[in-house]
Amino acid sequence: MAYLVPSEFVTKMVDAGESKIYMATRDALIRAYMAGAILALAAVFAVSVSVATGVPLIGALLFPVGFCMLYLMGFDLLTGVFVLTPLAWIDKRPGVTLPRILKHWGIVFVGNFLGALTVAVLMAYMFTYGFNTDGGKIAQTVAHIGENRTTGYAAYGAAGMLTLFIRGMLCNWMVSMGVVGAMISTTVGGKVLAMWMPVMLFFAMAFEHSVVNMFLFPFGLMMGGNFTIMDYLIWNEIPTVLGNMIGGLAFTGLTLYTTHVKTGAKRSLR
């Protein structure tokens, strides 16, 4: 496993953020669409394994396969660009401005959502045999997840909203570590191992990931979950997006950048 030291891979993070801002809109949208679709497949795979075995930890152990696949293919998640693109702006890379960053975030959000929604529709049709059955235990499980992670938060009011936001922050702390993990090695095996560990942790801890939720909640609604689209948006997706944005940038992006690129003055030993 060829390992790059932090000063090397953090520079790669900044370079990656800059390149994404210059990417063609078409390319950004397609890459985001594929990332959302693959992560959605990984989510339904993990839920299926958890239901079949009765051991959620096994689902968490296997979920990162989707994350590894999409990043090895060069596809983009909203949670990743939340971390990488601001670093290019902070580093004063030419042409990188806040409006362009926000535009790129919007493109990736739309692409991720469309990809995740496509898989939600396909899975709903498949599990219900063309909406002719109730979808079985997996469909019921996802419907309950949707209820618990929308109206379940709403039942606690402001405390529930803050809990949701914190789970979003903690999620992208771990997921962004996975994004960085893809950059710390020059071998496929090294990249996969470095990505696998933090992503497994976030899924096992049931933290809130905005792109995973773009699949889980539409799928849950199609499977008869007792919550509404507004419940999903207000009591999950919007706070999760904000938590993902702040958590990934604050805990991963800025800490690495400020200590390995824009380091502080050396201490005097006199």
Side-chain angles (χ1 to χ4, degrees):
M1 173 176 168
Y3 170 71
L4 301 180
V5 298
S7 61
E8 293 175 316
F9 68 71
V10 178
T11 300
K12 289 182 64 177
M13 291 169 62
V14 181
D15 292 341
E18 180 183 14
S19 69
K20 293 182 189 305
I21 296 300
Y22 282 95
M23 191 185 303
T25 298
R26 184 206 66 164
D27 295 344
L29 189 62
I30 293 172
R31 292 184 188 188
Y33 179 91
M34 293 306 300
I38 292 172
L39 202 68
L41 284 171
V44 74
F45 169 57
V47 172
S48 299
V49 171
S50 299
V51 170
T53 62
V55 184
L57 180 59
I58 297 178
L61 284 168
L62 296 177
F63 170 77
V65 67
F67 184 88
C68 294
M69 287 167 57
L70 71 91
Y71 267 102
L72 288 174
M73 294 298 104
F75 299 141
D76 285 326
L77 292 173
L78 182 65
T79 44
V81 299
F82 274 161
V83 178
L84 300 178
T85 52
L87 295 184
W89 176 72
I90 293 169
D91 201 54
K92 295 182 172 57
R93 294 296 178 91
V96 180
T97 64
L98 288 177
R100 288 176 178 172
I101 289 173
L102 293 175
K103 177 184 177 182
H104 185 71
W105 288 359
I107 294 167
V108 174
F109 180 96
V110 170
N112 284 170
F113 185 82
L114 291 176
L117 183 61
T118 298
V119 172
V121 172
L122 294 175
M123 290 298 105
Y125 193 94
M126 185 184 78
F127 281 116
T128 62
Y129 290 88
F131 299 99
N132 288 306
T133 70
D134 64 2
K137 192 171 182 181
I138 293 173
Q140 295 170 15
T141 299
V142 175
H144 289 314
I145 290 173
E147 294 166 4
N148 293 337
R149 288 161 66 172
T150 52
T151 56
Y153 288 123
Y156 292 93
M161 183 66 76
L162 182 57
T163 299
L164 168 59
F165 179 77
I166 291 172
R167 283 187 171 179
M169 290 180 63
L170 294 173
C171 173
N172 209 27
W173 182 8
M174 291 297 97
V175 173
S176 59
M177 291 290 287
V179 173
V180 175
M183 302 180 182
I184 71 173
S185 174
T186 57
T187 67
V188 173
K191 290 175 182 290
V192 168
L193 180 61
M195 288 188 280
W196 204 283
M197 295 182 290
V199 173
M200 176 185 66
L201 191 155
F202 113 71
F203 200 86
M205 293 294 292
F207 294 153
E208 298 287 353
H209 190 282
S210 54
V211 183
V212 172
N213 293 353
M214 291 174 187
F215 161 76
L216 285 177
F217 292 89
F219 183 53
L221 283 169
M222 294 177 206
M223 294 299 98
N226 188 25
F227 61 100
T228 67
I229 293 175
M230 290 306 296
D231 288 332
Y232 158 57
L233 293 175
I234 295 173
W235 287 100
N236 195 283
E237 190 63 39
I238 294 173
T240 296
V241 167
L242 295 174
N244 288 170
M245 177 180 63
I246 293 173
L249 183 59
F251 294 145
T252 301
L254 290 177
T255 55
L256 287 169
Y257 180 80
T258 56
T259 56
H260 291 294
V261 177
K262 296 296 183 181
T263 56
K266 300 293 184 181
R267 290 177 294 175
S268 173
L269 299 181
R270 290 181 296 175

